[in-house]
Amino acid sequence: MSFKQHAFVAMPFGTKPGADGQPIDFNRVYLELIKPALEDAGFEVFRADEETRAGDIRTDMFQELLAADLVVADLTLDNPNVWYELGVRHALRARGVVLVQGPRSTSPFDIYTDRKLRYGVAAGAPDPATLAIDRAALAKMARETQNASTRRKVSPVYTLLPHLQQPRWQDLLLSGDNEFAQRYEAWRSRLEVAQQKHRAGDILVLAEETPVRALAVEARFQAGRALMRLPQFTFALEQFDAALAIDDEHLGSRQQRAVCLGRLRRTEEAREAALQLTEEHPQDPECWSLAGRVEKSAWIDRFREPGEPWTPGAFRDKAALEDALLAEAITPYRHAFATAPNHLFAGINALTLNTLRAHLGGEHDPAETDRLLAGLRWGIACALERKPKDYWARAAQAEVSLLCDSRAAVQRDWRAATAAAGRDWLALDSSRQQLQLLSGLGFRPEETALALGIVEGELRRLNPPFEPRQVLLFSGHIMDAPSRPEPRFPLAMEPAARAALEQALDRLGAGPEDIALTQGAAGGDLMFTEAALARGVKVVWMQPLPEPQFIESSVQRATNAEDWRLRYYAARAQLAEPPRSMAQELGPPPPGINVWERGNRWLLHTTLAYGPDKARCVVLWDGGGGDGPGGTRHMVEEIKRRTGRVQWIDTRRLPLA
């Protein structure tokens, strides 16, 4: 599913005299030409006078001029409202404007050289002789405008003032009762919940349902960030690429894409991406810190294979041979910290790597280390004064103690850091990885072992994120209702289907290290659930309707409904968690979206978020098509495309009891 882009039309309303004095019905121009053309191009179209609720029309107009993917301005007349709206858009956004005009003898000087679509008018309405051509031309122009690189500026304001930065549209959302603000707030709150729960599958579904283009960029970016935390770098890279396909200047996506490339050991690509960012944003400490991160990963990759245990002191000699790469990592971190002394991540990495260089016998400047240490101590003190429980400031303080303070200080500061983590397993694991590096290089062995013991002790008290060996996605037919005219999955087929499902799970070696996702409907879902639970698999039900409605529609209507209802509750009692309801987790579906199709996409995205390489699909299916994106066929094709691991039980070949 793809999001529908939003177009706002700025134009005169009603009937007005044209340049030759003859009246033009602009409502007909909108309804017969502009709106259909934009809809043909895939846009949802809005004009300020179409908002029927009470309120200030300017609120909706300003919101649209800020957030709409495309603004179409009709300049047939020198209408002050249209010119004002065009000026506001040019001031707020560098691109996303299409100019149209009907007959007039001259073009205003301000936009004389701008490309405009001229449409025909006859008898005060769109000219029937040219209407089809004009509609096609406007649709094409709208598509081309949106498909053009986001680096191509249309607004004369941003063209003539190249250093002017567009405001973040999220910072300029208007207060008040307007439709876009309501839609955005509802979508944003759902996305925030999904982020807090670290549910990348939820974010991926929401990313497909954004009200406007700018939200799609943000959603793909957040989906990528969530996948990186799992960590699923290949799938995360897809999300950043998808965001950049919409907005190729989105800085966060470009930065995180470079991180993904580095983590995937595509070092040269990562290095080139980071270099380009530092050249384009020389004053951005995050870009310089990213460059340091890429070089640090490249340095580590030279002396340690992925997955190789961090045995204390085992890597010291090999790391010492890579002094040149270590120096390459220190320089950008140092530059980032010099650019922004409050950037503690860059500062602690510059100090740690500089200290390690001395430890490994490389060239180093003790005065430089002293300057970094002094600056970092001041930055940490300021950060903790602002926010005493800031984990990353506490962790930076603890790492400084490990680098150069007493054993007592190491113990004190690492205990304070773990206390500030607030049971954030992922944050603590990040610190553990840094400590493992220091341990593997034999740096201050006793102090490093002490710090590592404190962090690992805290991690043992927490529940780490479940990382399944396999993710078993099931999709299949519901048991036929008594009234079904043509049998597809009759009750008499149940014994053969159950046996086939058990065989499929046995072939996969399904067990306690795996997770299974399905809905819990009567028929295939429940039989699969029962078989998976019997093998110790963690089963999660993800239901497209609130549970009472789901039971009514997908359990109670099957043949032998009472038996299925009892089996439903028996299986439910064995689940590791209550069924997830899509209505609660993601909110109601957008207008025009089928709830069952959405539910299938939810299952598919959640499966893939664990890692496409872990996905295994089991389907109980007659091979039928026509169910559209998110249906069983779509699931099978998507899993096959990524892994090829599909167990298909063809119901057409199952015998009847």
Side-chain angles (χ1 to χ4, degrees):
M1 176 188 170
S2 60
F3 68 93
K4 203 162 194 177
Q5 299 187 85
H6 198 71
F8 175 71
V9 180
M11 66 181 302
F13 303 152
T15 301
K16 302 286 191 302
D20 59 359
Q22 298 301 311
I24 299 176
D25 187 341
F26 285 98
N27 289 347
R28 288 188 62 183
V29 171
Y30 174 67
L31 293 171
E32 297 174 22
L33 169 61
I34 296 177
K35 186 175 183 179
L38 294 175
E39 289 175 341
D40 290 345
F43 288 88
E44 180 182 52
V45 188
F46 181 78
R47 196 170 72 161
D49 65 323
E50 292 180 324
E51 174 56 67
T52 58
R53 296 170 301 169
D56 186 352
I57 193 172
R58 291 176 302 174
T59 301
D60 300 291
M61 181 265 289
F62 273 116
Q63 196 68 81
E64 292 289 337
L65 292 173
L66 168 69
D69 302 304
L70 184 74
V71 170
V72 176
D74 188 324
L75 303 178
T76 305
L77 306 181
D78 289 330
N79 184 292
N81 290 330
V82 175
W83 277 107
Y84 177 72
E85 291 166 20
L86 178 60
V88 170
R89 174 67 178 200
H90 277 165
L92 293 173
R93 287 283 166 264
R95 65 186 302 272
V97 172
V98 168
L99 304 179
V100 301
Q101 70 178 50
R104 61 178 296 165
S105 57
T106 61
S107 288
F109 174 78
D110 307 73
I111 48 90
Y112 183 79
T113 59
D114 291 9
R115 182 185 175 199
K116 293 177 284 295
L117 175 75
R118 291 174 171 80
Y119 61 84
V121 172
D127 188 347
T130 62
L131 180 57
I133 297 173
D134 292 341
R135 278 178 55 171
L138 178 52
K140 179 183 178 184
M141 192 172 184
R143 283 192 294 266
E144 289 178 350
T145 298
Q146 286 306 93
N147 292 336
S149 168
T150 53
R151 303 187 186 198
R152 179 177 178 272
K153 298 176 180 178
V154 174
S155 164
V157 177
Y158 289 92
T159 301
L160 297 173
L161 300 173
H163 298 294
L164 182 65
Q165 296 296 312
Q166 295 183 83
R168 280 172 30 95
W169 62 268
Q170 295 97 326
D171 296 336
L172 298 180
L173 287 174
L174 299 177
S175 60
D177 184 24
N178 71 89
E179 181 183 3
F180 177 78
Q182 290 179 343
R183 290 172 63 188
Y184 169 70
E185 181 56 32
W187 181 89
R188 185 205 58 77
S189 63
R190 291 192 293 270
L191 183 67
E192 186 174 317
V193 169
Q195 289 173 292
Q196 291 171 350
K197 294 180 177 180
H198 307 303
R199 289 184 177 166
D202 294 16
I203 298 174
L204 288 166
V205 175
L206 292 169
E208 297 176 335
E209 299 177 348
T210 54
V212 294
R213 181 186 183 97
L215 286 179
V217 176
E218 183 68 16
R220 291 293 180 187
F221 173 68
Q222 295 299 344
R225 292 292 300 272
L227 288 164
M228 288 179 71
R229 289 168 67 89
L230 288 177
Q232 297 296 337
F233 297 109
T234 299
F235 201 21
L237 185 62
E238 289 186 25
Q239 306 313 311
F240 297 129
D241 283 339
L244 292 170
I246 301 169
D247 181 357
D248 58 9
E249 286 192 302
H250 190 257
L251 183 58
S253 293
R254 293 179 67 194
Q255 291 170 336
Q256 295 306 314
R257 182 180 185 276
V259 174
C260 282
L261 290 170
R263 296 300 294 268
L264 293 169
R265 298 173 71 89
R266 293 162 61 175
T267 305
E268 290 308 316
E269 293 176 75
R271 188 174 281 140
E272 178 60 30
L275 176 62
Q276 187 173 7
L277 284 167
T278 57
E279 290 175 348
E280 294 178 13
H281 304 276
Q283 300 304 314
D284 189 329
E286 198 63 39
C287 292
W288 285 102
S289 181
L290 168 63
R293 184 171 182 172
V294 169
E295 297 300 340
K296 178 183 175 183
S297 295
W299 171 61
I300 294 172
D301 288 343
R302 289 283 292 183
F303 62 79
R304 175 181 176 267
E305 291 297 320
E308 192 175 356
W310 282 107
T311 306
F315 300 96
R316 177 170 181 165
D317 292 342
K318 288 193 291 185
L321 298 176
E322 306 298 339
D323 182 67
L325 275 178
L326 179 53
E328 290 292 325
I330 293 171
T331 300
Y333 275 132
R334 183 195 175 284
H335 188 85
F337 190 48
T339 302
N342 62 340
H343 201 297
L344 299 185
F345 178 82
I348 192 61
N349 273 281
L351 177 62
T352 298
L353 295 182
N354 209 51
T355 304
L356 285 176
R357 194 178 187 197
H359 168 70
L360 295 172
E363 295 183 10
H364 68 286
D365 179 1
E368 173 73 2
T369 302
D370 291 342
R371 285 192 293 270
L372 286 168
L373 178 60
L376 194 55
R377 287 194 190 277
W378 172 250
I380 291 169
C382 292
L384 291 176
E385 185 171 326
R386 292 191 302 269
K387 191 176 178 182
K389 294 184 178 181
D390 182 340
Y391 173 73
W392 298 109
R394 288 286 177 190
Q397 174 63 60
E399 192 165 335
V400 166
S401 295
L402 178 57
L403 294 176
C404 51
D405 291 338
S406 67
R407 178 184 174 89
V410 171
Q411 183 175 50
R412 179 197 66 217
D413 290 338
W414 278 103
R415 291 200 182 282
T418 56
R423 302 182 62 81
D424 187 333
W425 194 94
L426 292 168
L428 288 166
D429 186 56
S430 177
S431 293
R432 173 168 63 179
Q433 292 176 38
Q434 182 77 337
L435 290 171
Q436 286 173 331
L437 168 64
L438 295 173
S439 173
L441 297 179
F443 180 79
R444 298 190 76 186
E446 292 185 7
E447 289 81 358
T448 299
L450 173 62
L452 194 55
I454 292 170
V455 172
E456 289 184 334
E458 184 68 17
L459 284 168
R460 283 192 293 271
R461 285 190 282 271
L462 305 177
N463 293 320
F466 181 63
E467 296 186 10
R469 179 178 62 96
Q470 301 179 106
V471 186
L472 311 175
L473 169 63
F474 177 81
S475 179
H477 296 314
I478 191 171
M479 184 61 65
D480 287 350
S483 59
R484 186 176 178 87
E486 295 184 11
R488 182 179 65 176
F489 187 30
L491 189 62
M493 194 181 287
E494 182 191 348
R498 184 171 60 249
L501 283 169
E502 291 176 349
Q503 292 170 9
L505 289 174
D506 288 341
R507 284 193 296 271
L508 290 168
E513 295 179 342
D514 303 327
I515 190 171
L517 307 177
T518 189
Q519 292 185 0
D525 286 7
L526 274 173
M527 288 189 290
F528 172 80
T529 297
E530 291 165 344
L533 288 171
R535 287 158 176 78
V537 177
K538 178 184 178 181
V539 178
V540 176
W541 283 352
M542 301 174 62
Q543 299 175 343
L545 297 172
E547 190 175 18
Q549 294 174 241
F550 180 81
I551 293 172
E552 175 64 27
S553 65
S554 301
V555 178
Q556 293 284 76
R557 295 183 184 180
T559 302
N560 239 11
E562 182 58 20
D563 179 57
W564 286 112
R565 189 182 70 82
L566 294 174
R567 288 171 68 175
Y568 176 94
Y569 283 111
R572 188 188 191 282
Q574 300 178 64
L575 299 179
E577 60 182 77
R580 296 181 191 172
S581 169
M582 187 172 68
Q584 180 179 356
E585 303 282 350
L586 303 181
I593 301 300
N594 180 276
V595 68
W596 299 102
E597 181 267 340
R598 190 190 194 209
N600 280 336
R601 286 191 290 109
W602 189 31
L603 278 165
L604 177 62
H605 287 320
T606 302
T607 299
L608 295 175
Y610 282 102
D613 58 316
K614 296 182 179 181
R616 311 286 186 268
C617 189
V618 180
V619 292
L620 184 69
W621 178 44
D622 63 5
D627 49 3
T632 300
R633 176 175 291 279
H634 177 247
M635 282 188 177
V636 170
E637 291 175 349
E638 186 68 8
I639 297 293
K640 279 185 175 180
R641 181 177 74 83
R642 293 179 177 276
T643 70
R645 301 194 177 184
V646 177
Q647 301 256 0
W648 177 15
I649 301 168
D650 192 340
T651 55
R652 296 169 298 183
R653 300 180 181 180
L654 293 179
L656 301 178

